[in-house]
Amino acid sequence: MTQKALVLDEQAINRALTRIAHQIIEKNKGIEECVLVGIRTRGIYLAKRLASRIEEIEGNPIPVGEIDITLYRDDLTKKTETLEPLVKGSDIPVEISDKKVILVDDVLYTGRTVRAGLDALMDIGRPASIQLAVLVDRGHRELPVRADYVGKNVPTSSDEKIVVQLTEVDNIDQVSIFDK
């Protein structure tokens, strides 16, 4: 794959997350009864960064959890020697029933990852509502899914790939477009 363009650098990612944090607070009239849940892997780190910004703004912490959607995917791939899926588990520190859950992921593309995330959440509890926050929306939906909070809309062709790199995983913060 060849890098075609840098879409977001570290500063742009920080600005986008700050804007999303403000939008979450505004839409929910504060953070009471709200929970951030990041989809493995990069969604977790984005959720933690959002939680930090929200706490700076509101002065109160917001619970953060993580969800593993491996077993909920419709394109389940075998990642281990025993040909079993590699499941890392979910960890949500609070009960999500009757809460406003904000599901966080890095890229919204076909909508299938979000659908898997919704299924996983519904198996854990019955939230009052589920909202979606993504760093990048690249279009090309296959399911009727729309994000409530978007860091940046990046129109792409199906021959391109969006790569999100975060310091916690990749030692750099940036979002790039690559040719497949």
Side-chain angles (χ1 to χ4, degrees):
M1 288 191 319
T2 5
Q3 184 175 355
K4 201 169 168 181
L6 179 66
V7 178
L8 297 171
D9 61 12
E10 182 178 3
Q11 286 183 324
I13 290 172
N14 289 333
R15 282 191 301 271
L17 292 174
T18 299
R19 184 172 18 83
I20 290 171
H22 280 284
Q23 290 172 344
I24 288 170
I25 294 165
E26 185 177 330
K27 180 173 182 168
N28 293 289
K29 297 175 178 61
I31 56 167
E32 194 173 313
E33 301 299 315
C34 289
V35 179
L36 294 172
V37 177
I39 296 177
R40 281 195 183 273
T41 293
R42 286 169 183 78
I44 296 164
Y45 300 112
L46 293 171
K48 288 178 180 177
R49 290 183 189 191
L50 283 170
S52 175
R53 281 174 176 75
I54 288 170
E55 186 171 358
E56 287 172 14
I57 298 163
E58 287 291 286
N60 292 313
I62 183 170
V64 180
E66 54 189 68
I67 198 157
D68 185 345
I69 61 162
T70 303
L71 296 177
Y72 296 89
R73 295 193 60 91
D74 59 5
D75 63 346
L76 185 63
T77 55
K78 310 292 193 250
K79 300 273 185 178
T80 63
E81 291 177 16
T82 60
L83 298 181
E84 294 298 318
L86 182 61
V87 179
K88 296 182 180 166
S90 299
D91 178 23
I92 302 176
V94 296
E95 173 63 45
I96 64 167
S97 292
D98 300 319
K99 298 277 198 289
K100 299 174 201 170
V101 174
I102 297 102
L103 192 61
V104 182
D105 203 9
D106 55 353
V107 179
L108 176 56
Y109 181 34
T110 62
R112 292 181 182 281
T113 298
V114 174
R115 186 215 41 89
L118 293 171
D119 289 347
L121 283 173
M122 297 308 281
D123 277 354
I124 294 169
R126 190 178 188 294
S129 68
I130 300 174
Q131 301 164 28
L132 177 61
V134 296
L135 183 59
V136 175
D137 183 345
R138 65 170 289 191
H140 303 283
R141 225 66 86 238
E142 294 174 2
L143 300 173
V145 173
R146 180 187 56 83
D148 298 278
Y149 314 102
V150 177
K152 184 161 181 80
N153 286 294
V154 181
T156 60
S157 80
S158 51
D159 295 332
E160 296 172 324
K161 180 176 178 145
I162 295 283
V163 176
V164 174
Q165 295 175 291
L166 298 177
T167 304
E168 297 89 341
V169 180
D170 311 295
N171 298 318
I172 189 169
D173 276 347
Q174 68 180 22
V175 177
S176 306
I177 298 177
F178 283 81
D179 280 323
K180 284 187 180 178

